[in-house]
Amino acid sequence: MNERLKGYFAGITAAVAYGTNPLGALFLYDEGLNAASVIFYRFTLAVLILFVILKIQRVSLKLTAKELKLLVSLGVIFAASALTLYSSFKHIDSGIASTILFAYPVMVAVIMALFFKERTTIGTVLSIVLSLAGIVLLYQGDGTGRLSTLGVILVLVSALTYAIYIVIVNQSGIRLPPFKMTFYIMLFATITTVLFSLFAPENHIMAVPSWRAAGWIVMLACIPTIVAMTCLNIGIARAGSTPTAILGALEPATAVVISIAVFDSAFTLRLALGIALILGSTLIIVKN
């Protein structure tokens, strides 16, 4: 139970860390960077920082053939999830996209039930329902948001690849030092992003436009990448794939809190209710 509680805490930390993404990404978009560039610099700097950490800790970078194959797969899948989500913003309102994205906890639960015979409890179902309801309430659309079939498909692909990533980490049984695992996943995700940019001219890698932009890249590399990814992998290993996925609902709640605190967004009763439902779903998972 102690290990499981550590997993819940890691999952919560991962979700909150991921929720800081808009804080840096919006400023970088204002600086003129495209989506692939933001992802590339975020991943690349994370790889460099993690390399230094591993050297200081004197952790061996050696991998077995099985570990290498698995980590390459995870890196490609994680990059695919990020790239399809950011690409969807061209076709669909980002708020709608972020709401649709959180179909992934349901996907994780379905995959685990169908392919791995995981028992779905009433608590799990209730927590999924509460978290999805809370996320819908957090979306503050004005009714004019763009909606297209391609955009919806891209978001659903992003959600599905993220769900597959979570399930693979859970079922692989891989046991590497957390920073080492994150290092290799980010390394292969970076390579995937570069290859994507080569075949998508509109998403070519751009130069960092200013020192201010560089500062936001450092933030994105440290908090929603290194901290979030490392804690996500720990959460999956210790608490399980479905609970960790559901705890991810804290990510949009964190983004809303940041929007209120930093961007002076209005705090409404609807937002308060949405956050309350998500916190309720989190408590059910921890108590379940």
Side-chain angles (χ1 to χ4, degrees):
M1 179 58 70
N2 187 42
E3 287 296 301
R4 199 166 179 82
L5 286 176
K6 289 179 181 178
Y8 291 143
F9 179 75
I12 290 170
T13 303
V16 172
Y18 271 130
T20 65
N21 253 316
L23 186 60
L26 290 177
F27 283 110
L28 289 173
Y29 289 151
D30 287 341
E31 292 277 342
L33 290 178
N34 58 32
S37 297
V38 173
I39 294 172
F40 169 75
Y41 287 118
R42 170 188 165 194
F43 288 176
T44 300
L45 183 57
V47 169
L48 295 174
I49 294 172
L50 285 165
F51 179 78
V52 172
I53 292 174
L54 291 173
K55 284 299 181 181
I56 291 174
Q57 293 181 339
R58 296 185 178 181
V59 175
S60 171
L61 294 178
K62 292 182 179 180
L63 295 172
T64 65
K66 181 179 179 181
E67 290 170 341
L68 177 61
K69 182 179 179 180
L70 176 63
L71 292 171
V72 169
S73 299
L74 289 174
V76 172
I77 291 170
F78 190 81
S81 181
L83 289 167
T84 50
L85 177 63
Y86 279 89
S87 296
S88 74
F89 294 158
K90 291 183 178 180
H91 309 281
I92 189 173
D93 181 82
S94 60
I96 297 175
S98 297
T99 302
I100 297 173
L101 178 66
F102 280 86
Y104 80 81
V106 178
M107 294 178 179
V108 170
V110 170
I111 292 172
M112 292 301 297
L114 288 180
F115 297 99
F116 301 100
K117 309 303 179 184
E118 181 178 86
R119 185 171 63 91
T120 303
T121 66
I122 294 177
T124 298
V125 174
L126 180 58
S127 62
I128 290 175
V129 171
L130 287 178
S131 62
L132 290 177
I135 291 164
V136 169
L137 288 174
L138 293 184
Y139 170 61
Q140 302 183 83
D142 58 6
T144 62
R146 295 168 296 149
L147 190 63
S148 75
T149 302
L150 178 58
V152 172
I153 290 173
L154 285 169
V155 179
L156 290 176
V157 170
S158 179
L160 179 59
T161 48
Y162 192 54
I164 292 172
Y165 172 92
I166 291 174
V167 172
I168 290 176
V169 172
N170 176 253
Q171 293 298 310
S172 67
I174 187 170
R175 292 293 181 267
L176 290 175
F179 285 138
K180 180 178 178 178
M181 183 173 175
T182 304
F183 167 76
Y184 276 110
I185 292 172
M186 288 296 96
L187 175 62
F188 296 125
T190 301
I191 294 171
T192 303
T193 302
V194 171
L195 293 175
F196 170 79
S197 70
L198 294 177
F199 293 97
E202 70 279 7
N203 275 297
H204 66 281
I205 305 300
M206 305 167 65
V208 178
S210 67
W211 285 107
R212 179 174 179 267
W216 286 113
I217 289 171
V218 171
M219 189 282 286
L220 285 175
C222 292
I223 301 177
T225 306
I226 294 175
V227 173
M229 279 294 297
T230 302
C231 289
L232 175 68
N233 294 330
I234 293 173
I236 295 169
R238 296 187 178 185
S241 52
T242 302
T244 303
I246 298 171
L247 290 173
L250 287 168
E251 177 186 341
T254 302
V256 167
V257 172
I258 290 174
S259 179
I260 293 169
V262 179
F263 301 106
D264 296 323
S265 298
F267 184 64
T268 64
L269 178 60
R270 176 174 176 167
L271 292 180
L273 181 58
I275 292 173
L277 288 174
I278 290 172
L279 292 176
S281 73
T282 301
L283 290 175
I284 291 173
I285 282 295
V286 174
K287 292 287 186 180
N288 195 18

